[in-house]
Each structure stands twice: as C-alpha cells, then as structure tokens.
Amino acid sequence: MSRHPEVKWAQRADKVFITVLLPDAKNAKVNLEPDGDFTFSASAGAENHLYELKLDLFDKVNVEESKINIGVRSIFCVVEKAEKGWWKKLLRGDEKAPHYLKVDWDKWVDEDEDTGLGDLDLGGMDFSKFAGMEGMGGDAMGDDLDDTDDEEEVSKPAEENSENPDEHGQSLVRILSLDIAFKGCDWLRKISRLNSISQKQTQKPFQHSRRGSSSPSITLPQRNRERVMETTEMDAMEEEEPQPNPNSLKRFALKNSIQTNFGDDYVFQIVARDDWTAMAVSLSTNAVKLYSPVTGQYLGECRGHSTTINHISFSGPGNSHILHSCSSDGTIRAWDTRTFNQVLCISAGSSQEVFSFSIGGLGDYLLAAGCKSQILFWDWRNKKQVACLEDSHVDDVTQVHFVPSDKNKLVSASVDGLICTFDTVGDINDDDHLESVINVDTSIGKVGFLGDTYQKLWCLTHIETLSVWDWKEARIEANFQDARSLASDSWTLDRVNYFVDCHYSGDDQRLWVIGGTNAGTLGYFPVNYQGMGAIGPPEAVLEGGHTGVVRSVLPMSSKQIGTAQSQGIFGWTGGEDGRLCCWFSDGSPETNRSWISSEFVMKSPRTCKKNRHLPY
C-alpha cells in the first residue's frame, strides 16, 4: 500500500508553487498534463516505502513553461497557469482538501500583494523543464541539480569533511555528546537530511552574542560517527571562547544526544511520567520509544498505530505507568509502559483522524478527543461513546484540554481559528454546554494554560503568531501578530523561523515562547503579556545539538527528577533530525557554548513551592 507525501502550495497570478516534501526520494517520477493532472511517485526511507500522489489542479496549466527542481529533501515545482488569474484553491471539485496538503505560508502572498516571482528568493535553484521529464528516475533527475529545496539552501556543515574542528579556525567548546545509531547508518548521509518547515535560510556559522561580550563566530560541533546498537559512547571535545559576565549568565551546554532510530525519523513529541522515571518520545515511524530522562537509557517501545501519532500523554498519579496516544488512524490507545503492551484501544471510526485528547470530567473518567471538525467523548472505563459535538467547529480540532483547576471545563482549538469552552457536566451537547467562543482569526496550532488559577490561555498559530487570552471572559490580554519578527530582532543569531512551544513557570508567574531556527538553535524568549506587551531578548539559548527543525521541548528540574545524578539537567529536545538532545547547566568556565541567564536558572528544591504546576 502506497503512502502520501506532505505537499505544500502557494500561488501568484501566473504561477503555482508546489512542494513535495520527501527527503532522499528514489526513482522519482513526476508528470504534469495540460488539463492540470499532477502525478508523483517515488520510494523513500530505509525500507523503500512507495509514495504516490495525484492532484487535479484547479485549472489548466502550461506544461512547456513549467519548471521543476529535485533536491535531496524535496521536489519543488513552478507550475505556469494557462491563463493568468488567482485560483480560489489548489484542487478542483468541492471535496475537502486532503490532510497532507497544506498552505506554504513562507511563499504565500495575498492577491493584492502579488508582485510576481520577483518577491520569492529561490536561492539559485537549478530548474529543469517539465516537458520530457516523465519516466526519468531520481538519479537521472537529481545528479546535476543543487541540493536545494523550496524553502532553504542548506550547505553541509564544514565539520562533515573534517575530523578536526580546529581546521576551521574556530574556538572550541567542551561538549559531551552521546550518539546512538543503528548498524549500517551512514552518518554523512544522515547529517544532510534536513527537512526545514519555515523561512528560507542558509545554514552558516552562528553569530553568538551575549550582553556585555563580543560575538565570536562558532560552528556546529563535530558529529560522533560511531555505529552502535542502542549503546552509548561519550565523545568529548573542547573549545575556548571569550567569557561572559559570570554574574549575569549560567553556563548551559549539550550533555547527551541520542539518535532515536535508523532512517528519516522525526521526533514529534516528548513527554515525561509524573514521577520522572521515564519519558516517552513519539516518532514518525508511528511508534513511541521510552527512555530514562536522567541517563538517556533506552527502555522499550510501544508500537501499534498505523499512521502518524499526533499526541501522547502519561496518566496522572496512581496510573503514571499508563501512556496514552492518538493517531490519524482514528484510534486512541493506552499502553502499560512496564511491559510496553497495549491495554486499551478506542476507535473514533475508520474515516476519522484523532489530533488531540484529554482526560478529565468528574472522577477523571471522561476522555475527550479532537477530530475532523468534531469533539468526541467516551467513558474510558467501558469504552462507551457518550457525546459528540459537531456544530462548534468546522475544521480539524487540533487541541482539547480539560482545565487543570476545573476538570469539568474543556477548552478546544481548531484550524477554523476558534477557541471554544464547554461545560462537560450532564448530557453534553453543543446548544446547552458551549459557554464561550474566542475567534483568533487564523489556524491554531497549540494552546496552554497560565496564571494562578489557569484562567488564561496562550495561543500559537500555524502562521507563528502568539496571543494571550482570559478564557473565562473571552477577552484578549496580548496579541503579537509579529511575534517572530520581535523574537528575531532581539538576538543576533539567525532569524527565528518558527515557534516550538510556550513554557509557563508557576513559581515565577512568567511566560516564555520557545523559538527556533532551521539550523536547530533554540531560544527562550520572555513574554510580557501585561500592558503594552513585549517579547524580550532570549534568556536561554540551546545551540549546537540539532541540525534541523526542533519539534518538541521537555523542560525539567532536579526537583522533578529527584536524584543527585540529575543535578543541572535543564531538559530534552527532539526534532526532524531524529535526535534527542539533553541539555544541562554547568558552572564550569570551560562549558559555555550555550548559555542561560541568571533570571532563568532553575530554583533549588529548597526554594521551590511545594505544589509546582506544569500546565501542559
């Protein structure tokens, strides 16, 4: 059975930009017909899975003038329209667009802002004509083309071609890295597998800036190229760098780096057990792996979903060994992480996709799931469906969360731009239980709670805007439409291309938005959501661990883990390079590659409040 690759599109009055995201495609065949029939097929991945695609474009096209570029990470097509004009959508017909088709916001402009192709930087791509391309394999089509794709021109890190980082004239930093891979993994090839999702950006040495210090140029660390089977080997490298003011910064460095699997695997999400004895990692292989958050030791794997895993979460105290997961295969599953066996499976239907879930209600027996324009409810004890809300949202429900301080209240968010609040007591229905609606005006990616009583919500959208709301009053507190620009302007590193998540500290009552670059650098940007509102310079920078887009951040503290061995661990990150990176705070002057300001240093267990809340 073939699979569908992810597709992104944008347009101008005379052109359509189509990007097929499929790293290392083999035997690629692309065909375009004058009536708008677009077909694609290729194999990819360690097991050479077949990927196929057929798009019936909105109108006729000019095949002779259309162009294509096939890179190692994606296939980028510039399709000329037969007649100049703005298309209402990409595909003809009245059916809903397939889930793998998305708008390419990096290339999108509104109709009144259309200036043609001149506003789009194609990074020196080498294009071929569509005419005569049918039937040519991936090798024939790609050997003489640049390794560029639709979104960025990425040059391989200079370290790939050198066994000595000193050859690049860069100062060296002490970094402890732990690399895990499978036998037969070609590290040089894996390093080039970057699938960036946001702004066009050339990978280059970072300009690392600190307040009160100069800005030395540094490059990514040398990768460990040892091939092992779920075993570890420490690779230490030393660098020296001008010292920041020790009174304002606390050193922050990469501790461990784990390769989660063989192949083109993404890390989607990282979550921890309530007692922090294990953390679960969802992968693009439709599996969940478990590791020790203290040592990075591999514990086991839960496998059963047939398509993308969209959300994972551990149960609370009392059942903290139970892990829940939901998937685009329409199921919600529960796993006993002591045996890694499935103990529960609830199906929303073969035609459904489950994007999110939450457990709450009276006695925590109510399971809510966000699906295609619907919110479904079950009593998870007997797997009986008890309600279906289908009138409140008109598009995919990306988030559902029971309010931590009131488990009878459910908050949902959707691609339709709406945040809805429901009372789940009694016979749940749209008419009687919908309490409030917030219109964000754009597709919502993530929401989370903040405040002493969790009365506020932060909201991240798919076009990288940030807003803060009082969900009880349906009132906006702060609105950062230019959040990405504000974050980018506050540091001297590469432009912030995307936001990963937000982090709220209940102890300090402070909010940070976590932004990243296509090269894998992360920054914790403080958000002042009171008064005029502002996004400040990063108070923590995580640099040198990832080589691609970061998908998930798991912050942690020594109090949460509770072992002497874990002292100084800041957290874990995972991304599209298939790596898990562990970051730790180290006061030694030799370890200063990444940094953390004194305002962001984790509190000692003696100074933390007894009841620390993690609202996500």
Side-chain angles (χ1 to χ4, degrees), residues 10-24:
Q11 68 170 317
R12 301 295 184 269
D14 57 342
K15 301 176 180 68
V16 176
F17 308 128
I18 299 177
T19 305
V20 181
L21 299 173
L22 189 63
D24 297 313

Side-chain angles (χ1 to χ4, degrees), residues 113-219:
E113 299 175 348
D114 185 4
T115 60
L117 191 60
D119 63 330
L120 186 63
D121 180 13
L122 298 180
M125 287 188 180
D126 183 7
F127 284 94
S128 300
K129 294 288 187 180
F130 256 101
M133 294 288 289
E134 181 180 7
M136 296 184 66
D139 294 337
M141 299 169 75
D143 285 348
D144 58 351
L145 298 179
D146 288 344
D147 285 345
T148 55
D149 62 12
D150 62 305
E151 296 168 300
E152 63 172 334
E153 180 179 354
V154 181
S155 57
K156 291 184 179 180
E159 291 85 337
E160 288 183 28
N161 300 318
S162 170
E163 295 299 324
N164 184 2
D166 278 326
E167 292 179 7
H168 307 293
Q170 306 295 337
S171 57
L172 299 178
V173 161
R174 179 181 300 275
I175 296 179
L176 301 179
S177 64
L178 178 66
D179 294 329
I180 299 180
F182 279 80
K183 288 183 178 178
C185 173
D186 185 345
W187 270 103
L188 292 177
R189 191 179 185 204
K190 287 182 69 61
I191 292 175
S192 70
R193 290 174 181 165
L194 310 180
N195 186 13
S196 300
I197 63 173
S198 195
Q199 294 281 340
K200 302 176 291 293
Q201 187 73 36
T202 302
Q203 187 170 334
K204 57 187 178 182
F206 301 124
Q207 296 296 321
H208 194 114
S209 174
R210 297 178 177 85
R211 286 168 285 185
S213 67
S214 59
S215 301
S217 176
I218 24 183
T219 58

Side-chain angles (χ1 to χ4, degrees), residues 15 30 156 223 228 233 371 374 413 510 542 563:
K15 301 176 180 68
V30 186
K156 291 184 179 180
R223 287 284 201 100
V228 295
E233 181 171 339
C371 304
Q374 295 180 337
R510 298 188 63 198
L542 285 65
T563 65

